[in-house]
Amino acid sequence: MTGNSPREAPPDWWKGAVFYQIYPKSFMDANADGIGDLRGILSRLPYLSRLGVDALWLSPVFPSPQKDNGYDVADYVSIDPVFGSMEDFEDLVEAARDRHMAVIMDLVLNHTSDQHPWFQCALQKDEWKDFYIWSDTDDGTEAIFGEPSWTWSPEREAYYYSSFSRYQPDLNWENPRVREAVYDVVRFWRRKGVAGFRLDAVPFISKDLKSGIRRAGPRLHEFMKELRDAAGESAVLCGEDTEAGLEDALLYTAPERHEISMIFEFGLEDYDSGPGGKWDVRPLDLPGLKKHFNQWQQGLQGSGWTSLFLTNHDMPRIASRWGDGSPEAAKAFATAAYLMRGTVFIYQGEELGMTNHPMEMDEHADLETANFYRARIREGARHEEVMPIVHARSRDNARTPMQWTDGKHGGFTSGTPWLAVNPNCAFINACSQEGDSRSVFRYYQQLLQLRRERPDVFLDGDFRLVDADNPSTFTYLRGGRILVECNFTGTSQPRSIPLNWKDGAVLLSSGQRTDADWLRPYEARVTSC
Ligand code: TEU
Ligand code: CA
């Protein structure tokens, strides 16, 4: 395996690396309590090596009341006992390093849990009060998870502010003591050997509520520079900004600005949703999506960097979302995404083509889903009207446990899983796919291998969109040499490329045979021309 360890690798090793996001709760349970854990992850490192992974992003493993599955942190410098011990964590980092894999942590720096000692002190002691944001009035604004932004504190006789939920009070980044405390956390994990961080919800850390600015406030980039100083030049820093435009991306990632390495931008979510946002489900507007990627690929060509991802723990499964849930759809979307210019991020289970799992309302665990359902019912919608939307968009779709085998609970646990395993583990599972040359897993291996073999094209080469308005296929040329064609539909489509490109050598194909004039349903094909 040609992985990269941060120590021996060049400073920008992360550009060509393949990152794999682990949602620890749902990855692998080693002690039969139904919840994934660090020992479970450690036991699956050989699998991740075989896939071709260079770096792991662990979603939060810190002590937490789990109101938002660990994105409500009660202690930034310990491991939640449900996931294991600090020793388990150190063992994992070391075992990963032996396999030339880096580990990055998920830092939730905009807010803490309301159970964090900082917040508990802020409720009691005046010298801690300014760690959080207070007001005498509630201005009626709504937090992201559909609750009021301001929550009354009887202890303080004032309201505290939260961007997400009342269990996640926002830290006051204007207070230098807060920033020092946060940078201490960054330095702590760097000393433990982590290669960097995924930074949760970064634009929210700078705001000016008095002027109605709730995110991406005036000091955002100043704070990014301070974070970079704390993390060190060699750290890989990936910032989540769901609203970032291209200009923001350049500010975050142009190397001479010494901010962060790359961002996660969420433009891809806009082309199958209406004005009502994520719950406003629409069919995919493929020309719109292609235009978006084209703009980003062109715009970041000279400077700046981005990540390439299809989903994460907050999004439904891509094979179901854009496609018909078939393995072929999973392959086509991965090909389109991962051969663009940027760093690859795979979300656990995507490499198996895992699909959405429609569940009953009382089986759901996600706070956002519950709030959405309650609000719609309160507004007068019927249960039968709301459930199809929940099934299409709930974050729990991504959080059902990994499907390792066709056995009980998909081999994830020998206990009772915290969230139901998708019954299709009977035929979608890692064990059978590793042995099946036509599986999604085996295709991912080839796709990642191809990317690795041609850094001249896939890292450095330019991006040219072909046949931009075609509503069925996604076709582009990399470095003027390699043509990527993906059929985004379940019907055969004519190849819409110039005649003289038609007989280039096939470097990768998702099917057995390739036709000179047609792409089969959901076919992905990579040729040199
Ligand atoms: O998400 C940040 C974010 O902006 C969310 O609004 C996201 O778009 C939403 O989950 C979509 O439904 C991050 C984490 O990824 C998420 O899991 C956390 O719940 C959130 O921060 C709060 O920490
Ligand atoms: Ca466990």
Side-chain angles (χ1 to χ4, degrees):
M1 198 48 51
T2 54
N4 288 298
S5 92
R7 243 182 307 160
E8 64 204 35
D12 58 356
W13 62 273
W14 39 266
K15 286 189 174 171
V18 172
F19 282 70
Y20 186 94
Q21 183 191 354
I22 292 184
Y23 199 64
K25 235 179 150 170
S26 300
F27 190 65
M28 182 66 208
D29 177 21
N31 67 349
D33 66 355
I35 301 174
D37 44 49
L38 295 172
R39 291 270 152 217
I41 298 172
L42 198 135
S43 73
R44 295 298 180 176
L45 291 183
Y47 167 84
L48 296 170
S49 283
R50 291 195 294 276
L51 177 59
V53 168
D54 302 302
L56 307 178
W57 150 22
L58 301 189
S59 274
V61 288
F62 314 105
S64 161
Q66 301 281 326
K67 292 284 186 195
D68 189 20
N69 279 347
Y71 286 89
D72 47 331
V73 179
D75 174 0
Y76 288 109
V77 289
S78 306
I79 299 292
D80 195 308
V82 83
F83 295 123
S85 62
M86 189 58 86
E87 206 190 336
D88 294 334
F89 179 78
E90 287 162 357
D91 288 350
L92 175 62
V93 172
E94 203 182 302
R97 189 182 290 132
D98 289 344
R99 293 181 172 277
H100 305 288
M101 275 183 214
V103 174
I104 68 169
M105 301 291 269
D106 201 326
L107 279 190
V108 189
L109 301 178
N110 174 66
H111 45 268
T112 66
S113 159
D114 60 349
Q115 301 306 307
H116 195 291
W118 297 343
F119 189 69
Q120 291 301 317
C121 284
L123 291 179
Q124 310 299 337
K125 301 182 185 148
D126 286 342
E127 64 274 25
W128 282 88
K129 184 180 173 198
D130 283 348
F131 254 58
Y132 294 84
I133 301 167
W134 301 93
S135 169
D136 294 334
T137 50
D138 171 358
D139 64 6
T141 50
E142 196 175 89
I144 307 239
F145 294 149
E147 326 179 335
S149 311
W150 295 98
T151 306
W152 178 252
S153 153
E155 293 91 338
R156 276 270 158 228
E157 298 197 325
Y159 295 91
Y160 64 85
Y161 181 80
S162 28
S163 296
F164 290 89
S165 82
R166 62 189 178 282
Y167 308 111
Q168 296 158 296
D170 278 31
L171 284 164
N172 174 18
W173 275 68
E174 298 296 319
N175 179 348
R177 277 181 66 209
V178 166
R179 302 208 298 281
E180 260 325 299
V182 160
Y183 304 147
D184 279 345
V185 170
V186 166
R187 289 185 281 259
F188 174 88
W189 289 108
R190 287 287 281 159
R191 285 195 300 273
K192 291 272 177 215
V194 312
F197 305 94
R198 180 259 188 187
L199 305 167
D200 186 66
V202 273
F204 290 92
I205 62 178
S206 174
K207 46 201 166 253
D208 179 0
L209 295 176
K210 290 199 178 65
S211 319
I213 301 173
R214 283 151 54 99
R215 52 179 304 289
R219 300 183 69 186
L220 176 59
H221 293 282
E222 176 193 337
F223 297 161
M224 292 292 106
K225 288 182 174 47
E226 290 185 4
L227 261 173
R228 164 60 70 196
D229 286 343
E233 217 38 60
S234 65
V236 56
L237 299 178
C238 318
E240 181 205 29
D241 187 337
T242 55
E243 308 278 314
L246 187 52
E247 275 166 30
D248 303 309
L250 285 165
L251 292 177
Y252 279 122
T253 67
E256 66 278 10
R257 292 175 54 86
H258 296 287
E259 297 191 11
I260 60 178
S261 318
M262 65 186 108
I263 64 162
F264 296 102
E265 63 93 6
F266 287 73
L268 80 169
E269 284 202 298
D270 294 341
Y271 299 94
D272 59 358
S273 305
K278 69 177 273 183
W279 303 108
D280 189 0
V281 181
R282 304 283 164 94
L284 178 65
D285 162 19
L286 185 58
L289 181 79
K290 291 193 292 187
K291 199 169 154 209
H292 171 83
F293 280 132
N294 191 33
Q295 190 200 10
W296 276 73
Q297 290 286 303
Q298 305 284 348
L300 292 177
Q301 184 64 45
S303 169
W305 197 253
T306 193
S307 58
L308 306 172
F309 69 99
L310 289 163
T311 70
N312 57 33
H313 64 291
D314 293 332
M315 293 155 81
R317 292 285 177 180
I318 202 68
S320 307
R321 179 173 184 155
W322 288 348
D324 59 1
S326 66
E328 297 313 299
K331 293 176 194 173
F333 305 147
T335 310
Y338 295 145
L339 295 183
M340 292 192 286
R341 184 167 173 275
T343 297
V344 169
F345 281 79
I346 299 169
Y347 178 66
Q348 66 181 42
E350 258 170 16
E351 76 282 13
L352 306 175
M354 274 176 64
T355 63
N356 284 352
H357 176 35
M359 25 186 139
E360 299 298 333
M361 202 52 219
D362 60 7
E363 294 176 283
H364 277 283
D366 174 33
L367 167 84
E368 184 194 38
T369 307
N371 284 352
F372 166 75
Y373 177 83
R374 221 176 298 126
R376 280 295 160 93
I377 296 292
R378 213 184 303 125
E379 288 157 17
R382 282 181 302 116
H383 174 79
E384 303 74 59
E385 288 167 345
V386 186
M387 287 320 282
I389 307 173
V390 166
H391 290 158
R393 289 295 158 82
S394 169
R395 305 196 293 180
D396 285 330
N397 284 306
R399 300 174 181 184
T400 63
M402 265 294 276
Q403 297 169 201
W404 295 106
T405 68
D406 62 4
K408 199 166 179 212
H409 304 311
F412 161 71
T413 181
S414 48
T416 306
W418 74 276
L419 188 67
V421 176
N422 192 326
N424 69 13
C425 66
F427 51 95
I428 299 180
N429 64 74
C431 184
S432 68
Q433 291 203 18
E434 282 207 66
D436 172 2
S437 63
R438 293 161 56 187
S439 68
V440 182
F441 181 92
R442 296 279 286 268
Y443 182 79
Y444 261 66
Q445 285 181 317
Q446 295 170 41
L447 178 64
L448 302 176
Q449 184 61 27
L450 173 66
R451 220 187 107 94
R452 209 184 315 267
E453 278 164 6
R454 299 297 302 271
D456 56 320
V457 171
F458 294 115
L459 288 188
D460 303 329
D462 64 355
F463 174 96
R464 203 174 118 202
L465 185 63
V466 177
D467 197 14
D469 297 327
N470 189 311
S472 308
T473 59
F474 193 163
T475 302
Y476 57 84
L477 189 65
R478 288 302 312 277
R481 271 170 294 198
I482 293 189
L483 184 69
V484 179
E485 294 170 271
C486 305
N487 181 355
F488 269 50
T489 73
T491 51
S492 294
Q493 299 294 335
R495 294 177 79 197
S496 48
I497 52 171
L499 258 185
N500 57 337
W501 291 1
K502 281 210 170 156
D503 38 40
V506 178
L507 303 175
L508 177 68
S509 156
S510 62
Q512 252 71 347
R513 274 184 312 264
T514 52
D515 185 278
D517 299 314
W518 292 86
L519 295 174
R520 284 174 304 97
Y522 291 115
E523 179 178 339
R525 193 186 299 184
V526 185
T527 49
S528 63
C529 63

